[in-house]
Amino acid sequence: MFTLPHHSPRDLPFAADHTALLLVDMQRAWLEPQFDPHLNGPDAEYFLTRAHMQVVPNQRRLLSAFRGARQNVLHTLIESLTADGRDRSLDHKLSDMHLPKGSLQARIIDDLTPVENEIVLPKTSSGVFNSTNIDYVLRNLETRHLIIAGIVTDQCVDMAVRDAADRGYLVTLVEDACATYTEQRHHACLNAIKGYCWIADTQTVLRRLQEMQP
């Protein structure tokens, strides 16, 4: 198990107007069984229970706090730029992963629907920094602290954490606002990426947001 919040030199006070929340792939395709056959198998119960009973409610709390504090919120989702998916990465083509532009399954779930002026970045790779202009956008927003939550922990979330750290952002991973398909995978990922981010829980992040310095 992982003790939270973990000790890290990245555990620094958030700065007002330099702190942003990034929610990763919180879309219907990965959270509603009618769109993903893997969510109908016997091993799906852990993921669906954690996602809907813990991850989504915690992300709603984070969204509410960031909106209330007038800090930037970004959403990323897997969605092709075209209906036929010809713009997808080779990996997504080989994996037969295609969410057509504007499709129902590509939409962010209703509980986390972006509001006006929140940034939505469609991607066709695991790493949001690889197939979107998020780095350019974050720098234009003068972001220093990037708070990350989403699914799945050891795939797209992991890549967002590592890539953001490599580009000079102070990354916070909100552990109880993330999920992957087994508890073992989740904790293995936390141990693997703890050198790239400060790992905290939702309540700690909310408190830190309240203490945010101008």
Side-chain angles (χ1 to χ4, degrees):
M1 299 295 289
F2 203 92
T3 302
L4 297 173
H6 101 285
H7 180 71
S8 170
R10 297 155 191 83
D11 175 6
L12 297 170
F14 297 163
D17 300 323
H18 301 286
T19 300
L21 174 67
L22 172 64
L23 299 184
V24 177
D25 297 354
M26 298 302 297
Q27 55 197 127
R28 298 182 67 184
W30 321 126
L31 290 163
E32 298 183 12
Q34 70 266 33
F35 294 120
D36 186 351
H38 295 98
L39 298 182
N40 293 299
D43 297 329
E45 183 178 358
Y46 164 80
F47 173 76
L48 287 172
T49 299
R50 180 179 172 92
H52 290 289
M53 300 301 293
Q54 183 177 54
V55 171
V56 172
N58 282 336
Q59 289 191 14
R60 285 176 58 85
R61 295 170 66 199
L62 291 166
L63 274 176
S64 178
F66 270 78
R67 289 166 177 170
R70 294 183 170 275
Q71 301 305 294
N72 287 303
V73 173
L74 300 91
H75 307 256
T76 189
L77 50 86
I78 294 175
E79 182 184 43
S80 299
L81 298 174
T82 57
D84 61 11
R86 64 186 183 277
D87 61 289
R88 289 173 295 162
S89 65
L90 175 61
D91 180 68
H92 278 203
K93 289 173 181 174
L94 293 173
S95 301
D96 195 27
M97 186 180 296
H98 173 43
L99 301 182
K101 181 179 176 62
S103 61
L104 288 176
Q105 60 265 41
R107 291 182 186 175
I108 293 171
I109 61 172
D110 290 344
D111 281 346
L112 302 171
T113 300
V115 299
E116 186 179 12
N117 272 339
E118 290 181 353
I119 296 167
V120 180
L121 298 168
K123 63 187 174 76
T124 52
S125 67
S126 293
V128 63
F129 284 86
N130 294 326
S131 57
T132 79
N133 65 343
I134 188 172
D135 187 42
Y136 173 80
V137 171
L138 289 173
R139 294 190 190 284
N140 286 347
L141 297 174
E142 299 183 356
T143 304
R144 179 159 174 76
H145 296 268
L146 186 61
I147 318 305
I148 298 177
I151 57 174
V152 293
T153 315
D154 55 347
Q155 294 179 15
C156 294
V157 174
D158 178 302
M159 290 198 68
V161 168
R162 293 173 188 263
D163 289 343
D166 276 353
R167 285 165 174 80
Y169 298 98
L170 290 168
V171 180
T172 297
L173 178 66
V174 192
E175 182 275 335
D176 58 355
C178 298
T180 187
Y181 298 107
T182 68
E183 186 175 12
Q184 293 77 13
R185 282 177 55 171
H186 182 74
H187 287 286
C189 180
L190 297 183
N191 280 305
I193 64 173
K194 62 186 178 183
Y196 296 89
C197 59
W198 176 47
I199 303 176
D201 58 356
T202 300
Q203 192 57 43
T204 300
V205 170
L206 294 176
R207 185 174 64 251
R208 183 64 56 84
L209 198 64
Q210 292 177 335
E211 298 168 350
M212 189 165 52
Q213 300 298 313

